Amino acid sequence: MCSIKCRPLLRGLCCHRSRSISTTAAKLSLPRGKNAEELPPGAGPPPSPDAARAHEAAVRRLAAAGDVDGVQLALQEMRLRGVPCTEGALVAAIGAFARAGAPDRALKTFYRAVHDLGCARPTAPRLYNHLIDALLRENMVAAVVPVYENMKKDGVQPNVFTYNLLVKALCQNDRVGAARKMLDEMARKGCPPDDVTHATIVSALCKHGRVDEAREVLAAALPVCAAYNAVVLALCREFRMQDAFLIVREMVQRGLQPTVITYTTIVDAFCKAREMRMAFAIVARMVVTGCTPNVATFTALVKGLFDCGSVHDALGMWKWMVAEGWAPSTVSYNVLIRGLCSIGDLRGALSVLNGMEQHDDCFPNVRTYSTLIDGFSKGGDLDGAISIWNDMTCAGCKPNVVVYTNMVDVFCKMLMFDQAENLIDKMISENCLPNAVTFNTLIRSLCDCGRVGRALGVFHEMRRHGCPPNVRTYNELLHGLFRDGNREDALQLVIEMQNHGMELSLVTYNTVVSGLCQMKMSREAVLFLGRMIVQGIRPDAFTFNAMIHAYCKEGKIRMAAWMLGGMNAVNCPRNIVAYTLLMAELCNQHRLEDAMVYLLKMLYEGIYPNTATWNVLVRGAFRNLGCIETIDLIQNITTDLSAGTEVHYSHS
């Protein structure tokens, strides 16, 4: 609206300027015709200061309205009418271009300022600061360096705001060491760092996990709450709560009072660790010290209670928070929706969404819809998930890669693979590139449905879209290929993984070992088991159970027993599945007495039989009805277990 009002003003100024030039030209009897057209723009007497101020006001109004085209037009009119561009107009124009995400236009306008727009050469850093800020908004660090060099060549001394922008640029690009050296340059130039300088460096060090270095900078700088809060946050992320409390104590000793951000950070850390007693103790401490909790504090508590399974307390906290006048934020609503979805209360989650839409100042965001789609999908209500997706698109909320991936999963669960692939194509067309999780979701579902060939097609498309497959991708394909009986392609895929420099994980080895065992290739499986141990990957119960099952299916009881005994050698505790598999094969071979020996060994190790174990033994006993002593022993064991008495049997 402002830009529409400003454009007539510009036209009026232009007309007024034209009339002034025409009058002057008439008085001076300037020649007409061809020679008049060759006069440079703005020929005639210099414009009045009032004209420059009027044009500057127009540029400011257009910039405030976000009308970058109008700003460009206004600057062009000033050039044509010979009105010199003031520094204020140029600052407003650069700011407008920056807010519009067009730093390249800001840069071109800046370099045209002196020669084309008649702007006086800057002698103060204000204009340079605005330009550097515009470039940094789009992370155009490479363009900042020549601007800074030109600034120094023009004899303009940087001020603390300039240095803060440069420090921010270095920190954004992981050059924290260079940012710290900038402090030395500031000292040499007689420009002492301020609170923002130190807070930026401390925050960057904490972000990279260099908390101890951050504490050194903190100790040498003037005490600033923002810097201390950054260190507290970094320590809380590592759950170094004792150190966090020491930092808070240091704040107080240096004359700072912990803010609501400080306390809420600590409360959130305890909630994430599910130590709710300590979280509530910190809240009580806040109140005692006169620091009032805010909605973020209560949101952290609600989330923590949900995560601990205290649903009733979480809902009670929410109701109390609202009743006391704390207006929930979008983040708060998202936490409540996530908690309700986690307990399967999809109707309640949907009612919360409807409540959000009725508020004028709290709208659902992409996280809200993503949580709901995921909740409905996991709850089996796939039609409901699609309905949420439709609501999201109708509300004009642009989906991100997480929402798209959730919807790919929904379509896959409904076996709508064409729609899933179309959705991935839509992501690419809308410049929301799918990640490995997106592709893995589709590949896993295709493999589960036996469509391994189509899954391999998706696999080959990944790299074309700039998304290299990860270990999870290969594991899903290996699982599908082995289940399809395609050993050759599966082993070729393992070789491809290694050629791409990927380390085979425990899951990869287990998938290969299990696949080979299912194909009765125990010899090849044990070779992979050996490679696994040599590479320092410790086999787990799944690995041994697969090998024991394979040997039992092949009737190789001795090898199965040897594999069971080898579990302890790699610190892998024996389990009920391994014993039950071995006892089942012994019973199949009419060796019920040997099976009873393993039953006693199992009991001696504190592993108690389950239903499957008893089924195996009962079937074995019926096959061997002449073994009265064995049947009596089973009866005695079951009697003791039913009575709850401790079982002590000799297994010698």
Side-chain angles (χ1 to χ4, degrees):
M1 292 295 294
C2 182
S3 61
I4 294 172
K5 293 178 181 178
C6 290
R7 287 183 180 181
L9 173 61
L10 274 175
R11 286 195 293 269
L13 287 168
C14 294
C15 293
H16 172 74
R17 179 62 186 153
S18 300
R19 287 193 297 271
S20 300
I21 293 173
S22 300
T23 306
T24 306
K27 289 179 180 177
L28 295 175
S29 301
L30 289 174
R32 294 186 168 278
K34 182 177 177 181
N35 292 333
E37 293 176 358
E38 294 176 356
L39 288 172
S48 67
D50 290 341
R53 283 194 292 269
H55 278 82
E56 179 182 333
V59 171
R60 286 181 180 276
R61 290 177 187 173
L62 290 165
D67 187 356
V68 290
D69 293 331
V71 168
Q72 195 78 54
L73 174 65
L75 295 176
Q76 186 71 7
E77 288 289 347
M78 293 176 75
R79 187 183 76 83
L80 291 173
R81 304 304 172 187
V83 178
C85 182
T86 62
E87 185 174 302
L90 198 57
V91 167
I94 288 173
F97 294 139
R99 289 189 294 274
D104 51 337
R105 294 177 72 174
L107 194 62
K108 289 176 184 176
T109 302
F110 173 80
Y111 281 121
R112 288 177 51 221
V114 174
H115 301 291
D116 289 350
L117 301 178
C119 184
R121 191 173 296 277
T123 57
R126 179 190 175 207
L127 188 57
Y128 288 101
N129 291 345
H130 280 277
L131 179 61
I132 292 172
D133 186 41
L135 295 171
L136 288 180
R137 288 189 185 195
E138 300 298 320
N139 204 26
M140 293 177 61
V141 181
V144 169
V145 177
V147 171
Y148 181 58
E149 293 299 326
N150 288 337
M151 180 180 178
K152 291 194 290 187
K153 285 179 183 177
D154 290 343
V156 178
Q157 290 297 322
N159 60 13
V160 67
F161 187 71
T162 317
Y163 282 116
N164 285 344
L165 289 170
L166 296 173
V167 166
K168 177 184 174 183
L170 292 168
C171 290
Q172 279 181 354
N173 288 270
D174 301 335
R175 297 180 59 191
V176 188
R180 294 187 68 177
K181 289 180 181 177
M182 190 68 72
L183 297 176
D184 299 331
E185 180 179 333
M186 293 178 74
R188 288 196 305 271
K189 294 291 182 66
C191 181
D194 65 0
D195 299 352
V196 177
T197 322
H198 288 115
T200 304
I201 293 175
V202 168
S203 298
L205 288 169
C206 290
K207 180 183 174 183
H208 290 86
R210 297 159 63 178
V211 184
D212 293 333
E213 290 183 56
R215 293 177 72 172
E216 291 176 8
V217 175
L218 202 60
L222 293 172
V224 184
C225 276
Y228 272 101
N229 287 342
V231 175
V232 169
L233 176 61
L235 293 170
C236 287
R237 281 176 178 165
E238 300 175 8
F239 204 64
R240 293 167 55 183
M241 304 312 296
Q242 197 63 38
D243 290 335
F245 288 141
L246 290 175
I247 289 294
V248 173
R249 181 181 297 175
E250 184 181 312
M251 286 180 72
V252 176
Q253 289 173 347
R254 298 187 70 181
L256 295 175
Q257 286 301 318
T259 65
V260 66
I261 297 174
T262 319
Y263 282 116
T264 301
T265 302
I266 297 172
V267 169
D268 186 54
F270 279 120
C271 288
K272 286 176 179 175
R274 302 190 178 183
E275 294 188 13
M276 299 307 299
R277 190 183 297 273
M278 284 297 299
F280 280 107
I282 298 298
V283 174
R285 177 68 179 169
M286 287 179 71
V287 176
V288 168
T289 56
C291 181
T292 306
N294 61 11
V295 69
T297 318
F298 294 118
T299 301
L301 292 171
V302 171
K303 184 176 182 296
L305 290 167
F306 269 122
D307 290 342
C308 290
S310 304
V311 178
H312 180 75
D313 292 336
L315 295 175
M317 174 64 71
W318 176 271
K319 291 175 183 176
W320 179 87
M321 178 181 80
V322 174
E324 290 294 316
W326 301 101
S329 63
T330 301
V331 175
S332 309
Y333 278 113
N334 289 347
V335 165
L336 180 60
I337 289 172
R338 174 180 169 272
L340 292 171
C341 288
S342 68
I343 62 172
D345 187 3
L346 302 178
R347 183 175 296 180
L350 205 54
S351 68
V352 173
L353 174 66
N354 295 332
M356 286 183 73
E357 292 171 343
Q358 293 173 4
H359 284 277
D360 295 332
D361 56 346
C362 191
F363 298 100
N365 61 11
V366 67
R367 183 68 175 269
T368 316
Y369 291 110
S370 173
T371 304
L372 281 165
I373 291 171
D374 185 56
F376 274 84
S377 175
K378 289 177 178 175
D381 188 353
L382 302 180
D383 291 331
I386 292 176
S387 176
I388 296 295
W389 166 266
N390 293 334
D391 290 345
M392 177 182 177
T393 53
C394 290
C397 183
K398 189 176 181 181
N400 60 14
V401 66
V402 177
V403 183
Y404 274 119
T405 301
N406 285 338
M407 282 307 300
V408 167
D409 186 44
V410 169
F411 285 132
C412 288
K413 287 178 178 177
M414 300 177 76
L415 304 183
M416 298 168 66
F417 296 115
D418 290 337
Q419 288 85 342
E421 291 198 50
N422 290 339
L423 197 60
I424 290 176
D425 292 338
K426 183 181 179 183
M427 293 176 70
I428 296 165
S429 66
E430 294 188 357
N431 201 29
C432 180
L433 297 180
N435 58 21
V437 179
T438 315
F439 285 110
N440 290 349
T441 301
L442 179 56
I443 288 170
R444 183 191 69 243
S445 299
L446 289 168
C447 288
D448 289 344
C449 292
R451 304 185 186 186
V452 183
R454 188 168 178 178
L456 285 168
V458 175
F459 168 73
H460 293 305
E461 284 288 307
M462 288 180 70
R463 281 200 174 88
R464 192 170 69 83
H465 294 306
C467 180
N470 58 17
V471 175
R472 179 70 178 270
T473 318
Y474 283 101
N475 290 342
E476 299 291 357
L477 286 168
L478 286 171
H479 177 72
L481 288 167
F482 275 118
R483 198 167 64 173
D484 224 26
N486 194 342
R487 176 181 66 91
E488 290 77 11
D489 286 349
L491 294 179
Q492 187 60 41
L493 208 60
V494 173
I495 294 170
E496 182 181 324
M497 287 181 72
Q498 294 174 319
N499 289 341
H500 282 96
M502 290 187 180
E503 294 288 336
L504 304 188
S505 66
L506 173 63
V507 176
T508 311
Y509 276 112
N510 281 347
T511 304
V512 174
V513 169
S514 176
L516 292 170
C517 287
Q518 288 171 7
M519 299 174 70
K520 297 183 179 179
M521 301 178 68
S522 56
R523 184 184 296 273
E524 289 81 358
V526 81
L527 289 175
F528 262 93
L529 177 59
R531 284 174 57 183
M532 183 179 180
I533 295 170
V534 167
Q535 290 191 5
I537 298 176
R538 191 174 71 183
D540 63 0
F542 182 91
T543 324
F544 284 104
N545 291 345
M547 291 297 308
I548 291 168
H549 190 211
Y551 283 130
C552 287
K553 282 198 299 184
E554 296 172 17
K556 299 177 181 178
I557 288 292
R558 187 180 296 275
M559 289 300 297
W562 175 78
M563 192 62 66
L564 180 68
M567 293 180 73
N568 280 351
V570 293
N571 295 322
C572 179
R574 289 190 277 262
N575 58 80
I576 186 67
V577 176
Y579 273 112
T580 301
L581 289 169
L582 189 56
M583 285 188 281
E585 184 56 29
L586 287 168
C587 290
N588 288 339
Q589 296 186 13
H590 304 286
R591 296 169 60 180
L592 182 59
E593 291 170 347
D594 291 335
M596 295 306 299
V597 171
Y598 279 100
L599 175 63
L600 295 174
K601 282 185 176 182
M602 187 174 76
L603 292 168
Y604 181 77
E605 292 178 9
I607 303 171
Y608 293 98
N610 59 15
T611 304
T613 315
W614 289 123
N615 288 341
V616 163
L617 293 172
V618 169
R619 281 197 299 267
F622 274 105
R623 289 196 194 101
N624 299 269
L625 288 174
C627 303
I628 303 300
E629 293 180 1
T630 302
I631 295 172
D632 290 341
L633 181 57
I634 293 175
Q635 185 176 0
N636 291 337
I637 292 173
T638 54
T639 302
D640 289 342
L641 289 173
S642 299
T645 56
E646 191 173 354
V647 183
H648 293 286
Y649 295 102
S650 171
H651 62 283
S652 57

